[in-house]
Amino acid sequence: MGKTYARIDGRLREFIEAQHIFFTATAPLSGDGTVNLSPKGLTGSFAVIDEHTVAYLDFAGSNAETIAHLRENGRITLMWCAFDGPPTIVRVHGRGEPVFRDDPRWTGLLAHFPGIDPVPHGLRAVIVVTADLVRDTCGYAVPFMTYDEDRTLHGSRFARETDESLDEYFRKKDHVERSLDGLPGLPLPLPPLPASPA
C-alpha cells in the first residue's frame, strides 16, 4: 500500500504542488507538551526547492507554535491528501527551520514564491524543511471535496498593518512570542520586510 521515496520529484512532486491545502505537525520535546497541527493554504505559498527540500511561507497569526517547536527541536511532518482524483496521502517527515526577515537567505528564498506579495499577509518567516523520510499511503477514507477559491480574508485583514503595528499586534497575543508551553516563539521586535529587489 505505502511506498517510500528517495526524493521529491516526478509524479510525487506534481501531486504535492497541485494540492490547495496541506497540514503541518510539530511537537515540543516535553512528553506532556502540546502537539500542534496546522492547515496551510493560499495558492503559491508552498514551493519545492529541490529533491530533498521544501518551503512554505509563514504569515501573521495569533499563534506561533510551529516556529517555537522548530526552534526547540526542528522536527516536523507535512501532509497532503487528495480531495479529488486518485486517493493519495503524502507525508514528508523532516527537519524544519524558520528563516526570519533579517536572515541573509530571506531574499533568495522569497524568489521561490513569485506569485505572493509578502506585504498584505504580514509574512513572518519562511519555513524550510529538509526531508528525512518521504512516504505515500492510500487515502481511501478521505472524502471527495471541491476547491472553489482561496479566501481573501487573511490578506484584507493584514494588508492594513505596518511592520510597527504588526509588532504591536504580535506582542498583544499570548502565544506568539512564547508557545502554549512557554517555548520561545517569534522573535520580536519584528524586523522590517526587506525592500523588494528592483
Side-chain angles (χ1 to χ4, degrees):
M1 295 273 270
K3 182 179 177 182
T4 299
Y5 296 86
R7 60 188 60 84
I8 303 167
D9 63 1
R11 285 184 296 173
L12 183 69
R13 178 173 180 162
E14 289 173 12
F15 170 78
I16 287 173
E17 292 180 331
Q19 304 313 306
H20 296 285
I21 186 172
F22 66 99
F23 301 87
T24 68
T26 59
L29 292 176
S30 169
D32 59 356
T34 306
V35 175
N36 186 65
L37 178 64
S38 294
K40 303 294 180 184
L42 191 59
T43 300
S45 64
F46 174 85
V48 178
I49 306 296
D50 60 40
E51 294 179 341
H52 302 283
T53 313
V54 300
Y56 69 88
L57 302 180
D58 179 82
F59 298 114
S62 55
N63 290 291
E65 297 301 297
T66 301
I67 286 175
H69 295 161
L70 294 180
R71 290 182 71 191
E72 185 204 34
N73 61 67
R75 299 177 304 166
I76 188 169
T77 297
L78 309 180
M79 187 200 78
W80 297 261
C81 55
F83 294 111
D84 58 11
T88 304
I89 298 170
V90 173
R91 291 179 180 87
V92 170
H93 306 267
R95 311 294 295 180
E97 175 191 8
V99 175
F100 299 113
R101 294 170 164 203
D102 54 356
D103 190 295
R105 297 170 290 172
W106 178 268
T107 302
L109 285 169
L110 278 192
H112 293 282
F113 308 93
I116 297 289
D117 179 354
V119 176
H121 296 281
L123 182 58
R124 305 186 299 189
V126 180
I127 306 298
V128 179
V129 178
T130 302
D132 293 328
L133 177 66
V134 181
R135 286 191 48 81
D136 69 359
T137 56
C138 72
Y140 293 166
V142 175
F144 284 109
M145 291 191 285
T146 59
Y147 167 79
D148 294 327
E149 61 186 7
D150 285 354
R151 296 178 192 261
T152 59
L153 292 173
H154 193 275
S156 61
R157 161 62 186 91
F158 287 101
R160 60 182 183 257
E161 301 284 357
T162 64
D163 287 334
E164 293 75 20
S165 66
L166 267 178
D167 187 67
E168 184 178 346
Y169 169 82
F170 292 143
R171 288 185 189 279
K172 289 179 180 177
K173 296 296 178 182
D174 290 337
H175 303 297
V176 172
E177 265 191 293
R178 308 295 285 183
S179 76
L180 290 166
D181 301 309
L183 296 172
L186 184 69
L188 296 176
L190 187 70
L193 276 173
S196 299

